[in-house]
Amino acid sequence: MKISWSAYDTFEANFKPLVVVELAKDTKDETKEWLTQKIIEKKKNGGAQLLVKPLMADGKKIEGNQNIYLVGASHLRLLLGAETVGLVKECNDNTMRAFTYTARKTFKDFAEDNHDFLTMAECQYIIKHELENLRAKDEKMIPGYPQAKLYPGKSIMRRLISNGILLQIFPLHDPEELKKLGHTWYKKLKISYQPLDEIRCYFGETIAFYFAFLEYITFALVPMAIIGIPYYIFDWEDYDKYVLFAGFNLVWSAILLELWKRCCALMAYRWGTLVMKRQFEEPRPGFHGVLGINPVTGREEPVYSSFKRQLRIYLVSLPFVCLCLYFSLYVMMVYFELEYQAHLYHEENQSELSSLILYVPSIIYAVVIEVLNRIYRYAAEFLTSWENHRLESSYQNHLVLKVLVFNFLNCFASLFYIAFVMFDMKLLRQSLATLLITSQVLNQCVEAVLPYWLQKRRTKSVKKKVKALDIDTDLTLLEQVNLEKGMDTYPGTFDDYLELFLQFGYVSLFSCVYPLAAVFAVLNNITEMYSDALKMCRIFKRPFSEPAANIGVWQLAFQTMTVISVVTNCVLIGMSPQVNGLFPESKIELILIVVLAEVS
């Protein structure tokens, strides 16, 4: 049964602030009045039917706070919104169904006075959805800004963002719930399962799936680490005795992601996202073009020629990526030249210093790899944005493809060259160890230590300013909003998955010649769990909850790496002296066996 919004009174005098909207300092009064009216206006009149109030009462001017608004909604409005966005909840008969307001009493734990039926993350997701779907009706422009054109059906919030009027929208933290979550998540230094259900309730499914995958990979690496330690100790000097470990590596890589799919499906069902209907995807905020009619929706919206986009991809983006790949290979050859010079120096001097110098080229190369990866990431983002993709999913797919191709070549090309061209297992072990450990140390410093230190400085500064104010206002809320608006925006799980992807590559491809790779990966992932948890709770703004049923395009990326890993380990086994000894006269039989192993 379709909801008739006009039949419900969703006004509430006092409401819990859930979302913060910050406008530019020079925003005109008529614009602020028009926007707040749009947020409050009933749905039938083109509004969002939400609740809004300024952070500071009228007449109180405090630097940086006069254009901040708090948005919330009544309990009834949130329930109606839950039906609109298609939230899936558990019923009394233990089945999972899309929530409907008319059948609300059939859902588990529902009561008219139970305001905890919807989690805070779900409430904020509903408000975000309603704000993003505020659309122009008869307006031709944003009041006070003639250059900010509007047309029927245009997203108001996206137009405000593109014209620099709206600075940011972010959900508020719940201090009490955050404290409880932090206590069970990262404040206790013990090796245990993460509170994934609590993470999902507070941050949403996308974040919860990342931490679930991080935990899964960490536990999956433990058997390899346990086998790797004695294997490394007893066969340290014999670089060619890696067949058994490569065989285990091959089987481990093959079954790892198949088991993860089952775990993923179980969590998605439990969290109600497995059966959640996919929302119709709107054009991304950065998409631009000539006004036209969308043949699917019938709405007037920007239209951009797919032919022009393909020209940009194949005539500009593709050559640029190829040029970057060539430069990466050139840097690799410079690294090999440095390795050669370091070995010459060591052979001439045979001292402790010369032994240490042997590791210098690998360390320099590892640092250069990390720098190149980060520079290329910015270039890839710019190019993908310039290609002008209409949908966010298309934008993300093209960005992931660009970044993964470059990162794979940049990080692993030298290892493949050493293994299959130079046939130097000793150098392969040294290079793998240096690249893996250096990248882990650099990532921990850049992603956790530095942001935490900067955030602590900001927190002290904000608290000092708020305490100096002599005003009759809720200083707790004022301090919280000012602290959170100055925090860095959470960049998403892209970099976290990319780091795991590269680590998975180091371990699955060549750890048979350096069995301690899995040990360092486990240690890194344990610290990563704590540092990422700390970042989510203390360093970044709270991200909006985003429903998800899996880890998205990264599932395909890891599966591709698994295929490459199986092929690599089969070839390494075929190259080993032990296997070659079984076929002293006929190499054709050996090649056929390796090929059959890869195919199967």
Side-chain angles (χ1 to χ4, degrees), residues 396-409:
Q396 287 295 332
N397 289 341
H398 281 80
L399 177 61
V400 168
L401 180 61
K402 287 186 186 73
V403 172
L404 287 188
V405 168
F406 180 81
N407 277 256
F408 182 86
L409 188 77

Side-chain angles (χ1 to χ4, degrees), residues 195-226:
L196 294 176
D197 289 326
E198 288 82 356
I199 295 169
R200 175 255 170 184
C201 286
Y202 194 86
F203 289 109
E205 289 81 14
T206 299
I207 306 295
F209 269 118
Y210 162 68
F211 281 100
F213 188 65
L214 174 60
E215 180 180 274
Y216 175 82
I217 284 286
T218 305
F219 278 104
L221 284 166
V222 170
M224 187 177 286
I226 293 172

Side-chain angles (χ1 to χ4, degrees), residues 414-554:
S414 62
L415 300 178
F416 279 102
Y417 188 86
I418 295 168
F420 303 124
V421 178
M422 298 174 66
F423 304 108
D424 189 340
M425 295 302 157
K426 183 177 181 180
L427 181 58
L428 179 62
R429 173 181 286 186
Q430 176 190 311
S431 298
L432 176 59
T434 309
L435 290 175
L436 177 64
I437 296 169
T438 305
S439 66
Q440 289 178 347
V441 171
L442 287 175
N443 284 324
Q444 289 291 344
C445 291
V446 172
E447 295 179 8
V449 178
L450 183 60
Y452 180 69
W453 177 73
L454 292 173
Q455 183 56 35
K456 284 199 76 171
R457 289 187 63 185
R458 280 198 294 262
T459 302
K460 287 180 181 178
S461 175
V462 169
K463 286 185 176 181
K464 191 175 179 181
K465 287 180 182 178
V466 171
K467 285 180 181 177
L469 298 174
D470 185 20
I471 55 173
D472 182 23
T473 305
D474 183 0
L475 290 180
T476 305
L477 181 60
L478 181 65
E479 181 181 309
Q480 181 186 354
V481 171
N482 276 276
L483 275 173
E484 293 184 24
K485 82 181 179 97
M487 289 178 172
D488 293 329
T489 301
Y490 179 62
T493 56
F494 187 99
D495 287 329
D496 296 316
Y497 278 121
L498 180 60
E499 187 180 339
L500 273 180
F501 174 80
L502 295 176
Q503 181 199 84
F504 179 70
Y506 284 129
V507 173
S508 62
L509 293 172
F510 298 108
S511 65
C512 59
V513 297
Y514 184 61
L516 287 186
V519 177
F520 284 110
V522 169
L523 294 175
N524 175 78
N525 288 358
I526 291 171
T527 58
E528 190 80 16
M529 286 182 196
Y530 286 99
S531 63
D532 284 352
L534 181 68
K535 285 191 297 184
M536 294 300 305
C537 297
R538 298 282 299 277
I539 296 174
F540 292 122
K541 290 185 186 76
R542 183 180 188 176
F544 278 105
S545 167
E546 289 292 341
N550 48 52
I551 61 175
V553 68
W554 291 101

